[in-house]
Amino acid sequence: YPVAVTDREGEGVLYSTPELADGRANLFQPGTDQTGRQPVPTVTLDSWRRREHQVLPDFIKMDVEGAEAAALRGAQETLAASEPLLLVEMKEAIFQSLGLERTAIQDFLRPLGYRPAGLARGRWRLFDDVREIASRNVWWLKPQLPRHRHKAGRVRLEGLT
């Protein structure tokens, strides 16, 4: 699907490095070498899912180069209805360049019952605060849900007891 997921329907500008698929393309702030600018339709995950008649997901992996908070805001209906397990890439440098902190994601997800988990000394561990997690890949789960506990147990997630 040639769309960008965010918190509103419309159109945005995708900033990228021409002739290079480097995974740093984003909707918010061009890097010094990102001279490519391409108009792109923007959608919310909720509206896209309804329009495309997609089933409610039980897992969402998100790597959207700084658009994580916006993409999650645009998925509120989906998050409430299916309570999916989330894996969100959260690069500290990108958040800082946008004037945000990783806690913005936590502040959004915590009232929904989600807690962060990340790698610590080579093991996945449940944390109370995302600032305790050094890795950029963060699991977000609801420890009280049996299906989340089951899936988290598959990666030997510590701290579920």
Side-chain angles (χ1 to χ4, degrees):
Y1 295 90
V3 298
V5 177
T6 185
D7 58 354
R8 63 182 148 276
E9 300 283 315
E11 190 172 281
V13 176
L14 184 66
Y15 300 101
S16 64
T17 304
E19 309 300 323
L20 182 63
D22 66 357
R24 293 182 307 134
N26 69 81
L27 295 174
F28 299 106
Q29 184 173 349
T32 56
D33 60 342
Q34 290 180 312
T35 58
R37 286 165 174 70
Q38 178 179 345
V40 61
T42 60
V43 297
T44 68
L45 187 59
D46 289 339
S47 65
W48 174 85
R49 185 186 53 75
R50 283 191 308 272
R51 190 169 42 251
E52 298 296 325
H53 307 287
Q54 297 293 316
V55 297
L56 287 166
D58 67 350
F59 173 75
I60 296 174
K61 189 218 183 274
M62 190 174 290
D63 178 1
V64 291
E65 301 302 313
E68 293 81 6
L72 288 167
R73 283 192 305 270
Q76 289 184 58
E77 177 186 303
T78 300
L79 295 175
S82 68
E83 300 178 305
L85 186 65
L86 305 169
L87 177 59
V88 181
E89 185 176 63
M90 302 173 62
K91 295 179 189 168
E92 187 68 38
I94 290 175
F95 277 80
Q96 288 177 354
S97 73
L98 297 171
L100 299 172
E101 293 187 28
R102 292 170 18 138
T103 54
I105 303 299
Q106 179 170 276
D107 293 344
F108 178 81
L109 291 173
R110 182 165 287 170
L112 301 176
Y114 283 92
R115 285 189 51 203
L119 280 173
R121 297 185 188 147
R123 296 191 163 178
W124 287 98
R125 184 174 151 226
L126 192 63
F127 288 91
D128 288 319
D129 193 316
V130 72
R131 290 173 288 200
E132 299 175 85
I133 301 172
S135 64
R136 67 182 182 191
N137 290 309
V138 178
W139 286 98
W140 293 92
L141 66 144
K142 293 185 171 192
Q144 70 278 15
L145 289 180
R147 62 188 169 86
H148 280 208
R149 293 176 68 82
H150 174 73
K151 288 182 182 183
R154 296 167 101 183
V155 294
R156 297 188 182 126
L157 181 64
E158 296 176 358
L160 280 176
T161 57

